[in-house]
Amino acid sequence: MPLSLWLSLLGASVVISFTPGAGAINTMTNAINEGFRRSFWGILGQQAALLIHVIIVAAGVGLLIANSPTAFNVVRYAGAAYLVFLGVKSILAKPVSEETALDIRKNEPAFSMFRRGVWINLLNPKAIVFFLAFTPQFIRPDQPLLSQYLIYIGTIILVDVLVMWFFFAAAAKIFRRFTRSARGQCIMNISFGVLFILVAGLLLLMH
């Protein structure tokens, strides 16, 4: 991949990663509940989903989903339903005592955070359609495909990991002090729950 093309890919990846969405909300929620370091498990799950999306597009399945209203809607509604589920779960979460809140980590299993990260990004048809339109701009069919795809997905994942962990997860540290009281926990839970539901609404409005 020529340097100029890779720089364009790098710039586009940065812009995309900084665009707030369900992944960013999930990362901040994990960082608040589990701490900065452990939030990385959720980020890894989200990257696994991105890798699956690129594989789907490269295999041509993405084109079938994009061209099939039924398949597209199944993924779209499933994704929206999952985000609503996460939102309601967050809103209904009960605050812990102030003593327990001093060490607010809930010790959620790493695999649970990883799995949620996968589903959040995987059940997003917008990502499939996006990669379907985005990928051909950086892949040259007359050149070796494997190396191009490795550079392509490697750049996207590296940028997204850095942005999610060192921006969104780090930013969540600021909110941790508000979760030391029951009132603060309720406000944070409701806020992030509503954000999940709003993203689900945007997903349903997408055609």
Side-chain angles (χ1 to χ4, degrees):
M1 181 180 291
L3 179 60
S4 58
L5 187 61
W6 180 78
L7 290 175
S8 298
L9 172 62
L10 179 63
S13 299
V14 171
V15 172
I16 294 164
S17 294
F18 272 109
T19 302
I25 298 170
N26 183 58
T27 298
M28 294 185 72
T29 303
N30 286 336
I32 290 173
N33 291 336
E34 303 295 332
F36 174 75
R37 291 183 180 179
R38 297 198 74 238
S39 68
F40 191 67
W41 290 107
I43 295 172
L44 282 181
Q46 293 168 199
Q47 305 318 307
L50 292 183
L51 177 59
I52 293 172
H53 277 306
V54 172
I55 292 174
I56 287 174
V57 170
V61 180
L63 187 60
L64 295 176
I65 294 176
N67 290 332
S68 170
T70 301
F72 183 84
N73 284 329
V74 167
V75 178
R76 181 162 65 106
Y77 286 120
Y82 185 61
L83 291 178
V84 170
F85 165 75
L86 293 177
V88 172
K89 183 179 178 181
S90 178
I91 291 172
L92 297 179
K94 295 181 179 180
V96 299
S97 65
E98 187 170 352
E99 292 77 12
T100 305
L102 292 175
D103 185 17
I104 194 66
R105 291 172 179 78
K106 298 178 180 178
N107 295 318
E108 180 182 0
F111 180 72
S112 176
M113 291 193 291
F114 178 87
R115 181 180 56 200
R116 185 170 61 250
V118 170
W119 284 117
I120 283 176
N121 268 1
L122 193 60
L123 291 175
N124 184 359
K126 182 180 67 174
I128 296 178
V129 175
F130 169 78
F131 279 116
L132 193 62
F134 190 67
T135 302
Q137 300 180 45
F138 300 97
I139 302 298
R140 298 292 180 262
D142 58 332
Q143 298 178 11
L145 293 177
L146 180 59
S147 60
Q148 291 186 81
Y149 272 110
L150 289 176
I151 294 173
Y152 174 73
I153 191 60
T155 301
I156 291 174
I157 287 178
L158 178 61
V159 169
D160 201 55
V161 166
L162 292 176
V163 171
M164 287 295 152
W165 208 24
F166 292 104
F167 181 77
F168 289 109
K173 287 184 175 181
I174 301 173
F175 299 103
R176 281 186 63 81
R177 67 173 181 270
F178 295 112
T179 62
R180 293 180 180 176
S181 67
R183 182 173 181 273
Q185 291 174 54
C186 285
I187 292 174
M188 293 302 300
N189 289 339
I190 292 173
S191 297
F192 281 101
V194 169
L195 286 174
F196 271 124
I197 293 173
L198 286 176
V199 173
L202 292 175
L203 196 60
L204 290 176
L205 291 174
M206 181 183 66
H207 297 287

